[in-house]
Amino acid sequence: MQNTIRIIGIDPGLRRTGWGIIDTLGNSLRFVASGTVTSDGDMDLASRLCQLHDGLAEIVHSHKPDEAAVEQTFVNKDAVATLKLGQARGIAMLVPARAGLPVSEYAPNAVKKAVIGVGHGEKQQIHMMLKILMPKVEFKGNDAADALAIAICHAHNRGSNRMRQALAG
């Protein structure tokens, strides 16, 4: 007998960190919740990271996911922006890890491929597929939609991830 697995997907960002929670049972997906944790751009970096930490910690505490998935950081031309994104991504990985959750990472192209079938696509394609895969889905903005896509990617890949970890261990 299978159990429902609750997955939180996290799309890290220093200004806005998207989160999306789904339940998966076998091949079925059910939307639970989504949103965005924001930081105050007028505050210093450490305070902003604390805001992201506290916001994500509250989401994890209130929704009690079983597993977490985080989008991997891409490198862009602005080294300072890349470093700040990396720090926000560290918070996105730390919060679920501290809650005892296994955390998986997915490249942006892998997320798109899992949701829309190809590794490159527009945000509107992701939004449309989210509505097809989970008709009751609700999200405000690209960050929450991306986080739901990350959770779906993990739902599709979690079995192969467990196999790889078992072989490596």
Side-chain angles (χ1 to χ4, degrees):
M1 178 160 173
Q2 293 181 321
N3 292 326
T4 299
I5 303 296
R6 180 160 286 182
I7 299 168
I8 182 169
I10 303 172
D11 181 31
L14 184 58
R15 289 186 195 135
R16 293 175 310 278
T17 290
W19 59 271
I21 298 174
I22 64 170
D23 285 343
T24 181
L25 178 60
N27 290 332
S28 71
L29 302 172
R30 186 176 69 81
F31 169 75
V32 175
S34 69
T36 306
V37 176
T38 59
S39 72
D40 182 345
D42 293 332
M43 297 179 80
D44 63 276
L45 179 61
S47 298
R48 293 177 74 187
L49 292 172
C50 283
Q51 288 177 320
L52 295 177
H53 175 277
D54 294 349
L56 275 178
E58 177 56 35
I59 300 304
V60 169
H61 175 75
S62 62
H63 289 284
K64 301 188 179 352
D66 301 301
E67 299 177 7
V70 177
E71 188 170 67
Q72 291 176 340
T73 303
F74 63 91
V75 177
N76 60 35
K77 293 175 181 147
D78 182 352
V80 173
T82 301
L83 283 171
K84 288 180 179 178
L85 177 59
Q87 291 168 322
R89 189 169 171 277
I91 297 296
M93 295 181 71
L94 173 70
V95 169
R98 292 286 309 215
L101 306 181
V103 180
S104 297
E105 302 173 62
Y106 297 96
N109 288 351
V111 173
K112 288 177 182 172
K113 188 168 186 175
V115 176
I116 61 176
V118 292
H120 299 281
E122 301 297 321
K123 298 284 186 190
Q124 289 72 23
Q125 290 175 292
I126 292 172
H127 294 190
M128 182 184 71
M129 283 306 295
L130 288 174
K131 292 174 183 172
I132 291 170
L133 293 169
M134 298 180 298
K136 296 181 180 179
V137 72
E138 297 175 18
F139 54 87
K140 291 183 181 167
N142 291 335
D143 301 300
D146 288 350
L148 286 165
I150 294 160
I152 290 170
C153 178
H154 180 65
H156 291 320
N157 289 288
R158 59 185 299 277
S160 59
N161 284 350
R162 282 198 316 271
M163 180 81 78
R164 273 194 297 275
Q165 290 169 349
L167 291 173

